[in-house]
Amino acid sequence: MGRHGQRQRTTVCVVRDPRRPVPRWPWLLPLGGLALLPAGIVAGLFAAAVLLLVVAGGVRRWPGGVRICGPAIAEWQAAEAAVREVRLRWPALGAMAEPGDIRPTLEITRYNIGRLIAARVRLRAEADELRAVRDELRPGDLRDELGERLEVILDRVRDLDAQLAARTAAIGRLAVSLDAHERREVATARARVLLAGDLPGATLLADPLDEVGERTAATLAAYRELSELRPSPSETRS
């Protein structure tokens, strides 16, 4: 049931015009339902839930956005993923970032891509309808006019295809270049840390075995000297 509901929600996507923000005050309306709590907890919560659904539906259909549905959803999600990748990796540029805040630019780009996809969907639907009607007509002027209209629409669809491909490719290249830059910055920082450290084994601790060996050698040498100075048994008997 949950998966089915998720599929239902992803069949339509609304891409909003960032220049026309959705007002936030409608979200305060569900709080009005809580005013019925003194009359009954169930009634108050039910009213708040109903108002919340109404506000969510109204915000979803707020003017200034384009709707993407059907098979075009997958293409839109791929483009949106590339835009999200650019937004996440843009801070890696640091002081080189121009503009410093890329979000407004990406929002406009995101909206324009949504408009291209939505316009192409509408044109393809119109082309399918024209083709179906034309096939039902007998040869004549009206059929020829429909054919000319169809060719114009198909040319426009091809133009939109080229624009969409160019924009998504540019965003993809930017995301790849930002990823490569971020990996180079991480590698550079790591290299500096490695170069600043001492070489392995350059500062070893003193080995106590060396000192023990020296003391043992000195003890053995002294013992040999004492042995040479000690009188032999024949000297002690005489």
Side-chain angles (χ1 to χ4, degrees):
M1 175 112 182
R3 293 181 181 177
H4 179 71
Q6 185 176 5
R7 287 197 299 269
Q8 293 259 344
R9 288 192 296 270
T10 55
T11 54
V12 177
C13 180
V14 178
V15 186
R16 307 191 184 285
D17 186 348
R19 297 164 298 182
R20 300 180 62 179
V22 178
R24 298 181 178 180
W25 61 264
W27 293 105
L28 299 176
L29 294 178
L31 297 178
L34 301 180
L36 299 177
L37 286 179
I41 296 178
V42 176
L45 295 178
F46 178 76
V50 171
L51 288 174
L52 182 62
L53 292 175
V54 172
V55 171
V59 169
R60 186 179 180 85
R61 293 169 176 79
W62 192 263
V66 294
R67 294 168 61 86
I68 301 174
C69 56
I73 286 288
E75 190 173 21
W76 160 251
Q77 289 174 342
E80 190 178 31
V83 171
R84 190 184 308 114
E85 191 75 12
V86 172
R87 183 173 63 249
L88 291 176
R89 299 189 182 278
W90 190 259
L93 293 176
M96 296 185 300
E98 179 59 39
D101 187 4
I102 194 65
R103 288 175 298 179
T105 302
L106 290 179
E107 286 298 318
I108 294 294
T109 300
R110 180 177 177 272
Y111 176 62
N112 287 334
I113 291 177
R115 290 181 61 194
L116 283 174
I117 295 176
R120 191 182 59 178
V121 169
R122 290 193 302 270
L123 285 174
R124 285 178 174 175
E126 186 175 351
D128 292 340
E129 185 176 3
L130 283 173
R131 190 179 293 110
V133 173
R134 184 196 60 179
D135 293 342
E136 296 294 330
L137 295 177
R138 295 178 179 178
D141 294 339
L142 185 58
R143 181 187 174 98
D144 293 340
E145 290 181 9
L146 286 177
E148 294 174 359
R149 174 73 175 180
L150 179 61
E151 287 301 321
V152 172
I153 291 178
L154 292 178
D155 287 340
R156 181 57 177 163
V157 169
R158 286 188 286 268
D159 180 56
L160 292 181
D161 284 339
Q163 292 185 44
L164 183 61
R167 296 196 182 197
T168 53
I171 295 174
R173 289 193 301 269
L174 180 57
V176 170
S177 63
L178 289 173
D179 178 65
H181 173 77
E182 186 175 4
R183 286 188 283 108
R184 284 194 300 268
E185 289 296 306
V186 172
T188 300
R190 181 58 181 164
R192 289 171 179 169
V193 171
L194 293 174
L195 292 175
D198 296 329
L199 292 176
T203 56
L204 296 177
L205 297 176
D207 193 345
L209 187 61
D210 294 339
E211 184 179 353
V212 172
E214 293 175 359
R215 289 202 307 267
T216 302
T219 301
L220 292 176
Y223 179 77
R224 285 194 299 270
E225 292 179 0
L226 290 175
S227 298
E228 293 175 357
L229 295 175
R230 185 179 303 167
S232 61
S234 59
E235 291 178 349
T236 55
R237 285 197 297 269
S238 59

